[in-house]
Amino acid sequence: MFEFFPWLIGLSVLALFWWQSLGARWSARRAALKACEEAEVTFIDELAFQRLSLGRGTLKRRYRFEFYRRGDRRYAGWVDMRGQRVEHVEMDPHPF
């Protein structure tokens, strides 16, 4: 019975990481949609995971997205997350 205990702990850690990643992705998506709405541009692509790093005891994630102003050219933006919290949203320069 105890031979399955390490496997159970490993699977639990993986499930927790997956669950937290989903929460961070949803928070990043909401932040990207809000930034696009405030800039009066159209959010056109889902978030794409770009980078994962460790910073001061929490996981830092970067998600990338694209948007357009008038439909003629795509611009990039990204959301930096620290754990479950939005740290920074940035968008490429675009016409007004």
Side-chain angles (χ1 to χ4, degrees):
M1 177 167 156
F2 291 110
E3 63 270 3
F4 294 114
F5 193 66
W7 288 101
L8 184 60
I9 290 176
L11 286 174
S12 298
V13 168
L14 284 174
L16 180 63
F17 176 76
W18 177 74
W19 185 258
Q20 288 181 343
S21 295
L22 283 178
R25 180 175 164 78
W26 279 104
S27 295
R29 186 174 193 282
R30 281 192 304 268
L33 286 169
K34 183 180 176 187
C36 287
E37 183 179 303
E38 289 174 358
E40 297 178 358
V41 297
T42 305
F43 179 83
I44 55 174
D45 284 336
E46 285 297 317
L47 291 178
F49 178 75
Q50 193 170 21
R51 181 173 51 202
L52 177 71
S53 62
L54 186 62
R56 295 189 182 168
T58 60
L59 289 176
K60 294 173 67 176
R61 296 173 177 91
R62 176 172 275 191
Y63 295 94
R64 189 173 189 284
F65 64 95
E66 290 186 339
F67 62 94
Y68 69 90
R69 173 71 181 174
R70 291 183 222 120
D72 56 345
R73 184 171 171 206
R74 289 182 176 211
Y75 300 92
W78 55 91
V79 180
D80 290 329
M81 301 288 295
R82 183 179 295 271
Q84 300 291 326
R85 199 171 38 89
V86 175
E87 188 173 62
H88 183 70
V89 179
E90 192 164 332
M91 300 168 74
D92 281 345
H94 56 280
F96 291 102

